[in-house]
Amino acid sequence: MKPRLVAISGPLKGSVFPLSSSEFTAGRQAGNDLFIDDDLVSRRHCTLLIEDGHVRLRDLESMNGTFVNGIAVHDAQLEHGDKVRIGASQFIFEDEALEDGVPAFTDSEDDQITSRTTVRLERDHAVYFQPEKIAEQLPSSSRLGRDLGTLLRISSSINAIRNTEELQNRLLELILEAIPAQRAAILLTGHKQVDFISGSYRSAESGERTTFRVSRTITHQVLRDRISLMSNDVMSDRAIHPTESLVSAQIRSILCVPLIVFETCLGVIYADGTESIAGFDPDHLQLLTAIAGIAAVGLEHARYVEWLEGENQRLQEEINIEHDMIGESHRMREAYQLIRKVAASDSTVLVLGESGTGKELVARAIHRNGKRANGPFVAVNCAAIVDTLLESELFGHEKGAFTGAVAQRKGKIEFADGGTLFLDEVGELPMPMQAALLRVLQQREFERVGGNRSIKVDVRIIAATNRKLEEAIKEGRFRQDLFYRLKVVSIPMPSLAERREDIPLLASHFVKKYGRLSNRSISGITPDALRLLVAYDWPGNVRELENAVERAVVLGSSEHIRPEDLPEALTEGKAAGVARVNTYHAALNETKKSLIQRAFQEAGGSYTDAARLLDLHPNYLHRLIRNLDIKSDLED
């Protein structure tokens, strides 16, 4: 089988692309071997080169990068099963063969077969694998012609079947038509190829699937030695160890051949016959060996397709949720899986993560995919409301409860009845409010400010914080009992630095979003700019990345986002290390460092005096020193 790409997501889902040439290109331009109509794909995006039997993938300086197993690559050797992502499309790279009723056996583990009626056939000596011998025999052999017709029928049949079970049943039906056997079976191995894990059986007499016992000795020797075997003297062949079931069935003849593809043994085809029918001859062994050679390829392909479909279904189940988040990294898939699981329940959830990681998007996804989706979603930022108004904001108040309370007013908790209440920055709640919130979590009831009547609510609470609540508990700033009530289930959101492989996807999304809002046509991000985006630490996470891209779209002057369009924080300091030494930004940073160091020498190490000499605000000078990572150099 030639190496190929199998599309499992995107506009080409379900298509297979053989790598038929030594250089196989992919891109948005129609002349590519793999044409992908996707704005995230460059005109010439990447190429796959076949070199010395290996396939190398090279990114052609594409705007949004090429990914292998979630990692952006420039040049990588592909291995069988690797996942390749180009724009919004994902492919599986296939370059080798793959790997249920367990078969029952009649005899012991003894695998020594010695009999004058046993014929051994090496695969290389099989006539049907040697076209020149067929050509010599065809004119004088009508049986050979019939056998070739059988092979052609089997070949055409298996090409139209993708289901493993259906394929095995069809093969057994054709085998019993071509060979004078009473019963036939296909036994398949597992990943280790040392024993059989599944079996399909068929009887010629009934034409139905009928399970029967087979010879363990023969099947295991064929599996181990990868040779075809035939015996016409089962009853007297002590090496076969005929058991009571074989004797009662009057089994006299046995055929068994290996299913080999790409030097991998998938299993065996087994057939036997009774005393009432003619025995097998070497031509039957040749035919069944040839059938196995064709069938092995079809079975390998069907099993791999089923594996791909199962894997795709599993991945779809993991992320089959409605959400507004962007990311395909391992950490984000873990978050999607947690969201899918907790959405089905009413449990309280605590979302943890740095500022800007999308904690509110998680809360909205849980609400949208849960049974409360038709109810209200009410969000409260606990850090944005002054303490004196927070109680009234959450619980509402009665008329006259305090100066200015001219009418009764419902609070956020009451508005969320039947739906979800999202408490952002819950770690900022003052201690009195924490006690009141604990009662809501325990009793699902509260009182309005100035009221004396308990109000019952049916509300799910999702909280979020960027603080270490365990430390706040030790410092006496957060109630331990409230912490355990909130943390029934916790979902940690990774920082952007922990999922850098998602940065190109996020950046492309924001480029399209703000290009549309600002009525600008942006084709993409240059490779140098993308490297800066990926290398930066993003202390503000996705929110900071969005702001940086919006700024670049608004201030940029070309159809691509370039390094000079990005904020200075990205082009200064450690992030600049990804650029070449002779680039504009690298040279500019070196000049900045030199000026600052000279000013500090003249100012005797004083930040204030150095800022005055440079005509900079001291705060800006501090930021420059931090971004350029030269504080240690100045202190030496």
Side-chain angles (χ1 to χ4, degrees), residues 483-495:
F483 173 71
Y484 290 126
R485 282 287 180 179
L486 291 173
K487 196 181 178 183
V488 176
V489 179
S490 63
I491 298 179
M493 287 302 291
S495 66

Side-chain angles (χ1 to χ4, degrees), residues 157 160-173 200 209 299 306:
S157 294
I161 301 174
R162 294 176 59 185
N163 178 273
T164 305
E165 182 178 357
E166 182 183 349
L167 177 57
Q168 291 180 76
N169 290 328
R170 179 58 177 156
L171 282 168
L172 291 174
E173 179 183 336
S200 294
R209 306 169 192 175
L299 284 168
E306 286 182 347

Side-chain angles (χ1 to χ4, degrees), residues 469-542:
L469 293 184
E470 293 90 343
E471 295 178 4
I473 292 171
K474 293 177 182 179
E475 297 169 1
R477 294 184 290 104
F478 202 84
R479 294 178 62 108
Q480 188 175 44
D481 49 1
L482 177 59
F483 173 71
Y484 290 126
R485 282 287 180 179
L486 291 173
K487 196 181 178 183
V488 176
V489 179
S490 63
I491 298 179
M493 287 302 291
S495 66
L496 200 51
E498 294 174 310
R499 56 181 188 110
R500 294 183 187 274
E501 59 266 44
D502 289 332
I503 291 176
L505 281 177
L506 287 161
S508 297
H509 169 75
F510 293 138
V511 165
K512 294 179 70 173
K513 173 183 176 181
Y514 290 106
R516 185 171 58 252
L517 291 175
S518 60
N519 200 27
R520 284 199 60 202
S521 177
I522 306 294
S523 298
I525 307 171
T526 66
D528 283 343
L530 187 60
R531 282 193 285 270
L532 289 173
L533 291 173
V534 173
Y536 186 57
D537 283 338
W538 299 109
N541 293 294
V542 179

Side-chain angles (χ1 to χ4, degrees), residues 147-165:
D147 290 347
L148 287 175
T150 299
L151 293 177
L152 287 174
R153 280 200 300 156
I154 290 176
S155 179
S156 61
S157 294
I158 66 175
N159 287 335
I161 301 174
R162 294 176 59 185
N163 178 273
T164 305
E165 182 178 357

Side-chain angles (χ1 to χ4, degrees), residues 367 372 375-380 394 410-422 457-461:
H367 172 76
R372 297 176 178 269
F377 179 89
V378 179
V380 180
L394 282 177
K410 291 182 179 182
K412 299 291 188 183
I413 295 176
E414 203 166 347
F415 279 119
D417 190 25
T420 302
L421 176 68
F422 174 57
V457 287
D458 174 23
V459 63
R460 179 179 193 169
I461 294 180

Side-chain angles (χ1 to χ4, degrees), residues 191-222:
H191 178 68
K192 294 183 179 180
Q193 302 171 21
V194 295
D195 209 343
F196 303 106
I197 63 169
S198 70
S200 294
Y201 307 84
R202 196 173 190 90
S203 167
E205 183 178 351
S206 64
E208 297 178 352
R209 306 169 192 175
T210 304
T211 303
F212 57 89
R213 295 182 180 274
V214 302
S215 171
R216 177 188 294 273
T217 302
I218 286 184
T219 54
H220 276 73
Q221 181 168 350
V222 169

Side-chain angles (χ1 to χ4, degrees), residues 67 118 237 310 324 400 423 429 448 500 511 522 524:
F67 298 81
T118 298
D237 193 343
D324 297 321
L423 299 175
L429 280 176
R448 297 193 188 106
R500 294 183 187 274
V511 165
I522 306 294

